[in-house]
Amino acid sequence: MELKLIGKKDQKTDSIIVSDELFNRDYNEALVHQVITSYLSNARGATRAQKGRSDVAKSTRKPWRQKGTGRARVGMASSPIWRGGGKVFPSSPDENFRKKLNKKMYRAGVSVIVSQLIRDNRLLVTDTFNIDTHKTKALSEKLEALGLDEVMVITHEIDDNLYLSSRNIPRIAVVEVKNVDPVSLLRFEKILITTEGLKKFEELLS
């Protein structure tokens, strides 16, 4: 499969050959859904906690006598059906949200996502991507020249200038290949990847 390169000013070639097996897969919605949900679940932290019947600050005394009042019988004010009562199945900080997904399925899912990005013209390839200064304005102007507004730049290595110039722009992310995740691939409008990064990405998916 052949991908065209953008920003041809300093590039040696106009295109790059990539694997059809990895970058031309048919879209599999079920697999992509499984990869995304497992990634989000595994990133989730168990930070919430609720109180059960034994945890709420309520007396265990019977609110009123069993018979003769005309009201329904009740045992204690911590009952879950009462306002301020304990939760029936309270959430716990020990709750585990992890979903198991083997490496083969994860790599296949990411490969499917990238293949669809290529078909939708959302994945762009360039020979190199760097700037000579750490100024945010320099990076913004470089991306504007390429016609990119909201973009994730994927490179095999991030230098200080690229890191410093990109960290203050909310619509732009610069990441190394090893830190690419499926949610970001779908979230950003465009994905810009260097040829070296693409080769490294291909190694990780194979």
Side-chain angles (χ1 to χ4, degrees):
M1 184 179 182
E2 189 174 357
L3 297 178
K4 291 184 178 180
L5 301 180
I6 65 169
K8 299 178 182 178
K9 188 176 179 181
D10 299 324
Q11 292 172 176
K12 299 176 182 178
T13 59
D14 294 340
S15 61
I16 183 173
I17 305 297
V18 294
S19 169
D20 281 340
E21 185 181 352
L22 297 177
F23 297 105
N24 196 20
R25 282 176 177 260
D26 293 332
Y27 189 70
N28 187 334
E29 186 176 356
L31 178 59
V32 172
H33 178 267
Q34 198 167 352
V35 168
I36 295 297
T37 53
S38 65
Y39 180 84
L40 292 174
S41 295
N42 295 344
R44 186 175 176 181
T47 56
R48 61 182 186 175
Q50 296 169 321
K51 292 183 178 181
R53 293 188 67 170
S54 60
D55 302 318
V56 293
K58 296 288 184 181
S59 171
T60 57
R61 184 180 65 84
K62 196 173 176 66
W64 53 75
R65 57 196 174 96
Q66 182 83 346
K67 294 178 178 292
T69 64
R71 289 182 288 183
R73 49 195 175 176
V74 62
M76 58 182 69
S78 62
S79 171
I81 63 175
W82 274 41
R83 181 176 180 179
K87 190 82 173 175
V88 181
F89 300 110
S91 298
S92 167
D94 301 325
E95 197 168 356
N96 185 9
F97 297 104
R98 293 193 64 82
K99 292 185 178 181
K100 186 179 181 301
L101 189 74
N102 60 50
K103 290 182 180 179
K104 189 174 181 180
M105 287 183 68
Y106 180 81
R107 289 171 182 168
V110 173
S111 183
V112 167
I113 292 172
V114 173
S115 300
Q116 189 61 38
L117 290 175
I118 293 172
R119 283 190 289 270
D120 293 341
N121 295 320
R122 290 175 57 193
L123 188 134
L124 309 171
V125 186
T126 185
D127 194 18
T128 58
F129 190 85
N130 47 51
I131 56 176
D132 301 327
T133 177
H134 63 278
K135 300 285 187 180
T136 300
K137 184 179 179 180
L139 179 61
S140 296
E141 289 176 349
K142 186 178 180 71
L143 292 172
E144 283 177 13
L146 296 173
L148 301 174
D149 181 35
E150 183 183 343
V151 60
M152 180 169 74
V153 180
I154 303 173
T155 179
H156 69 290
E157 186 178 13
I158 301 176
D159 59 21
D160 290 339
N161 286 340
L162 201 54
Y163 167 71
L164 293 171
S165 62
S166 64
R167 63 179 180 174
N168 205 27
I169 311 177
R171 66 181 187 280
I172 295 171
V174 178
V175 298
E176 292 187 9
V177 175
K178 61 183 179 181
N179 296 325
V180 175
D181 65 88
V183 175
S184 295
L185 287 173
L186 291 174
R187 182 169 68 88
F188 283 90
E189 182 183 346
K190 296 285 186 180
I191 307 296
L192 179 65
I193 187 169
T194 62
T195 52
E196 286 294 325
L198 192 62
K199 290 176 184 176
K200 204 167 183 180
F201 198 49
E202 196 169 352
E203 291 174 6
L204 291 175
L205 293 179
S206 59

